[in-house]
Amino acid sequence: MMAAERSTADILDAAVHVREAARSVTIGATGVDTVLAALSEVMEYDHASLTRWDPLHSCHTTLAGSYPDDATAYIETRLHHDPVFPVLHSPARGGLWFRDVPGQLLAASPGFQEVLSPLGIEDGVAQCLFAADGRYVGMLNVSTRRPRRAPDPARAAVTLLTEALAAAVDPGTGPPPEEIAAAGPATDVRHPDARRPGGLSPRELQVLAELTAGRTNREIAERLYITPRTVGTHVEHILAKLDLPNRAAAAARAASWGIEPSR
């Protein structure tokens, strides 16, 4: 956990690392979860997520996150109907921090009453993300059970990172194809069905693909640019979602689906 007495210089240095992680996402070198991992050095959190707005289906899609399933479902399907959403949905706003939300708005918000309060959340920020052309592309949500100190340099850092975060979640703001090609191959999950088999997330499918090669968590982490601990969490989720006993069974299931990692 990040120490409360970290200096402003430390936080700004950590923010630079977040920008670097976001940049690596836009060229296809890493996943969005690396951005959240880097963001934890800017401000410690208990839960966080980065979501992409899907205008076709009018919902958010979680690209990376650590909220419980019910909270994730709320963010994806109900948050944009919450009374708080019109307040924070403004390109000019630097995020809506928990302590700044008026009491009457908290009382009227199902998101706070039904989702955050049961989690014991006492601080955090919801930050809408907009592309350079003004399109709403997604949202950053960060929650902590510990009140943050004031003044809080992380507030300014998060605001300064919004452009980089927007580029990371929005495929329309990425670099040209030739720049992506120059970055080198990433894991390619090949599956004949465009839907997500087993209800697995895109990242879980990538990890599942790596299991077919018999790779360890550390080896998978190096290939996907995430931590071994994150790989372990994904493996646990994969086994639970597919109701399988072990990694070997998961690898066999992936092989039966025709899923394999890139070479």
Side-chain angles (χ1 to χ4, degrees):
M1 183 172 61
M2 186 176 65
E5 63 271 10
R6 290 193 68 194
S7 68
T8 299
D10 290 334
I11 291 174
L12 291 177
D13 185 58
V16 172
H17 294 159
V18 175
R19 287 178 59 87
E20 292 171 349
R23 177 59 178 168
S24 71
V25 172
T26 65
I27 64 173
T30 61
V32 177
D33 49 354
T34 62
V35 178
L36 283 185
L39 188 65
S40 68
E41 297 299 319
V42 174
M43 60 175 293
E44 73 277 15
Y45 55 75
D46 292 288
H47 304 289
S49 72
L50 274 167
T51 60
R52 175 184 296 149
W53 174 246
D54 181 349
L56 181 62
H57 299 96
S58 297
C59 65
H60 291 91
T61 300
T62 299
L63 305 179
S66 60
Y67 284 95
D69 290 345
D70 57 344
T72 297
Y74 189 92
I75 291 171
E76 291 184 336
T77 63
R78 296 176 59 195
L79 178 56
H80 50 290
H81 298 302
D82 194 287
V84 171
F85 192 73
V87 178
L88 59 92
H89 189 260
S90 168
R93 187 174 187 94
L96 184 61
W97 290 76
F98 188 91
R99 72 181 69 150
D100 296 336
V101 182
Q104 64 270 27
L105 190 55
L106 284 178
S109 167
F112 284 116
Q113 300 301 323
E114 301 173 12
V115 178
L116 294 183
S117 291
L119 293 176
I121 301 304
E122 294 190 20
D123 213 335
V125 62
Q127 173 75 64
C128 285
L129 304 173
F130 295 86
D133 59 9
R135 289 177 299 111
Y136 172 63
V137 296
M139 179 178 289
L140 167 71
N141 285 281
V142 180
S143 300
T144 174
R145 297 186 182 94
R146 297 166 300 280
R148 296 186 58 80
R149 62 189 173 95
D152 185 0
R155 293 175 67 126
V158 171
T159 300
L160 292 173
L161 287 169
T162 55
E163 182 178 347
L165 296 176
V169 304
D170 178 31
T173 61
E178 60 270 18
E179 187 172 343
I180 295 177
T187 297
D188 177 24
V189 178
R190 301 168 187 168
H191 188 272
D193 192 337
R195 297 171 296 177
R196 298 177 186 174
L200 301 180
S201 70
R203 177 60 88 184
E204 288 166 349
L205 283 173
Q206 287 183 313
V207 172
L208 179 62
E210 295 296 333
L211 292 180
T212 65
R215 296 190 173 99
T216 65
N217 285 4
R218 184 167 296 279
E219 290 170 335
I220 295 173
E222 291 174 353
R223 283 176 59 83
L224 300 185
Y225 301 95
I226 56 180
T227 68
R229 181 178 178 181
T230 298
V231 174
T233 298
H234 286 314
V235 171
E236 291 177 2
H237 291 168
I238 290 168
L239 297 180
K241 288 182 178 181
L242 302 183
D243 193 23
L244 296 172
N246 52 46
R247 299 162 70 100
R253 179 69 59 84
S256 71
W257 283 340
I259 294 176
E260 61 181 31
S262 62
R263 292 173 174 80

